[in-house]
Amino acid sequence: MNSFVFSILFLFLFAKFSYSLPLSTKSRWVVDTLTGDRVKFKCVNWPAHLKPMLAEGLDKQPLNRIVEHVALLGFNCVRLTWATHMFTRYSTKTVMQSFKDLNLTKAIKGLEENNPRVLDLTVVDAFSVVIDVIGSYGVMVVLDNHVSEPMWCCGSNDGNGFFGDKYFDPREWRRGLSIVGNRYAHTPMVVAMSLRNELRGPRQNVTEWYKWVRKGARSIHKANCNVLVIISSLHYSIDFTPLKTEPLGLDSTLPNKIVYETHRYSFTAGPKNQWLHQPLNQVCDNVIRGINKKAGFLTTGSDPAPLFITEFGVDLRGGDRADNLFLTCYMAYLAEMDLDWALWALQGSYYLREGVQNVDEVFGLLDNNWAGLRNPDPKSRSWNYTFLHHPLTGRCIKNNDMNQIYAGECEGLTGWSHAGDGAPIQLSSTPWCLMVVGDGLPVKLTTNCYEKQSRWKSVRNSRFQFTNEDENGVNLCLDLDPSGSSTILSKKCICAGGGASKCLKNTQSQWFEFVYANRRYF
């Protein structure tokens, strides 16, 4: 899974690293209100919404050490989750009382060792301490209303799914939004608040969604007019299609403050095994088309808005092949669309999850002891170019002083351009372009950029394969074997031609994408 770390770091290349607060929106972007410059969220999720009502991991490491990990990894934001009842019903309960009620004896000992000051605080005061420490490292905070009753999320019938469910009293929910909005109105690093995580379940309907989303957004804005208001949709926050015909109509009430959020995992909106048993190019294309149809459209058209991927992630143990195949496709999409994102998740463990203590989080960046990463973290840099990126490995295509083409870490980057099918893939600001030589042979640079062997096009029904003909008329694709050398080859295209619709081979070694960025990250 080292490629996952490379890919995450690659997404960091597009972030703005200094900004003034508060933030606002401009077209499809989140921007620095003072300068109008884009500020890209590159966040990690940190749960505090489960039964103990304390940000996870404080029994394993000192709070400042955990936040230092977040900052050093390059994240500029934490999506910190909270439960409504924590503020409306349990606000006077201390952390010690909460943990004793749940018989979390071992976790209490860990807290006494690593963060003793939080034990005698109320759960809401401890939450504020976490926010203050995060902010002290220059990291922004997005407050996510994850559930009403503190518990693991998210089941269709868990009572937390939709307005009017067992635990989801919409009036109490609005009161909770107001309490939290007011409490952090003067905490500048709290830059955004979400209405609700993953609306779902049998009660969901469009009419109630419009009604309560409008009311909830106004409640947040009245309490704290500085924060961005993040709005989720129906069906686990994947379906915004009602907005195609009826806008929310909040632009005048919350000018330049609305952001929409969506989530995606390998198992979202379809069986996970589709990644294993259907043609990979087709599955990837279908998934991306589905995302754009139900959520991505918000970033286009006459009135575009920001779309924030507030959850995505995979099993970081590396053995889940479906997750691994999904990840490469989705990371390519995130880079191509240049979307704001929040990785699920930071935590290596939970105090208590669904009745079990010290549960390991296999999606967590940190290990079970919160002492280090599950995978090593190489540093990454970038340049202000159009990059040619290999999503499977997270590497970028470069040339050296001998004009050899290879895949390397995304630092000191080489710029490329491609004007579309039939055009050369050209080395920026030079007369040189890529030329195919033969099957299994390295691609070369040539100045004959409009010769037959230098004209590249996309493979039909594949978003990320680029093909060309060699001198014998054989169609070959760019290819990089992740287990081999760093040399970029041209090989016979995988799953192209007449049998592509039934081809189940893995095409990801041949996936390349052009990604556009406007800043360098050191």
Side-chain angles (χ1 to χ4, degrees), residues 243-303:
L243 293 179
K244 291 182 178 181
T245 54
E246 183 184 350
L248 278 172
L250 291 170
D251 292 344
S252 60
T253 308
L254 286 77
N256 304 315
K257 288 295 183 182
I258 297 293
V259 175
Y260 297 97
E261 67 173 323
T262 189
H263 295 173
R264 180 62 53 161
Y265 295 93
S266 61
F267 49 81
T268 301
K272 184 175 181 177
N273 63 9
Q274 67 179 323
W275 294 95
L276 303 177
H277 304 308
Q278 296 181 29
L280 186 57
N281 284 342
Q282 179 181 320
V283 174
C284 180
D285 187 61
N286 288 344
V287 165
I288 291 174
R289 287 180 185 274
I291 296 169
N292 284 335
K293 180 181 179 181
K294 292 187 175 183
F297 74 89
L298 291 165
T299 67
T300 63
S302 60
D303 189 23

Side-chain angles (χ1 to χ4, degrees), residues 495-521:
C495 296
S501 63
K502 297 182 180 180
C503 178
L504 300 179
K505 294 180 180 179
N506 189 340
T507 55
Q508 291 183 330
S509 68
Q510 295 186 348
W511 283 7
F512 293 81
E513 63 171 344
F514 291 94
V515 180
Y516 308 95
N518 56 10
R519 342 194 152 261
R520 186 168 189 169
Y521 169 46

Side-chain angles (χ1 to χ4, degrees), residues 260-420:
Y260 297 97
E261 67 173 323
T262 189
H263 295 173
R264 180 62 53 161
Y265 295 93
S266 61
F267 49 81
T268 301
K272 184 175 181 177
N273 63 9
Q274 67 179 323
W275 294 95
L276 303 177
H277 304 308
Q278 296 181 29
L280 186 57
N281 284 342
Q282 179 181 320
V283 174
C284 180
D285 187 61
N286 288 344
V287 165
I288 291 174
R289 287 180 185 274
I291 296 169
N292 284 335
K293 180 181 179 181
K294 292 187 175 183
F297 74 89
L298 291 165
T299 67
T300 63
S302 60
D303 189 23
L307 182 63
F308 186 2
I309 312 299
T310 50
E311 283 187 30
F312 80 101
V314 294
D315 184 340
L316 291 181
R317 294 173 297 182
D320 191 316
R321 184 165 171 263
D323 265 7
N324 296 344
L325 295 174
F326 154 77
L327 179 66
T328 307
C329 170
Y330 196 59
M331 296 292 278
Y333 172 72
L334 289 181
E336 179 184 29
M337 292 290 290
D338 196 6
L339 295 172
D340 299 83
W341 52 268
L343 178 69
W344 186 275
L346 176 68
Q347 66 274 12
S349 64
Y350 299 91
Y351 308 117
L352 181 71
R353 175 174 156 178
E354 298 177 294
V356 182
Q357 297 187 25
N358 193 34
V359 175
D360 192 47
E361 173 55 270
V362 299
F363 280 48
L365 274 179
L366 299 181
D367 59 29
N368 187 273
N369 290 320
W370 294 63
L373 292 173
R374 292 175 187 267
N375 289 288
D377 175 33
K379 292 184 179 179
S380 175
R381 300 178 182 180
S382 74
W383 194 255
N384 187 17
Y385 286 123
T386 301
F387 309 138
L388 186 53
H389 178 230
H390 189 247
L392 178 61
T393 61
R395 289 186 277 178
C396 293
I397 312 312
K398 308 166 74 171
N399 74 309
N400 58 23
D401 293 339
M402 301 174 64
N403 273 338
Q404 295 170 319
I405 304 301
Y406 68 100
E409 293 186 19
C410 294
E411 57 182 8
L413 284 168
T414 301
W416 300 91
S417 63
H418 184 235

Side-chain angles (χ1 to χ4, degrees), residues 26-62:
K26 182 179 182 181
S27 182
R28 59 159 292 194
W29 311 110
V30 173
V31 298
D32 179 324
T33 301
L34 183 64
T35 66
D37 290 341
R38 196 249 177 118
V39 177
K40 180 171 180 174
F41 286 130
K42 50 188 187 69
C43 312
V44 66
N45 280 273
W46 190 355
H49 67 273
L50 279 76
K51 285 183 178 295
M53 294 181 287
L54 181 69
E56 303 291 340
L58 301 191
D59 61 331
K60 300 293 182 72
Q61 296 291 331

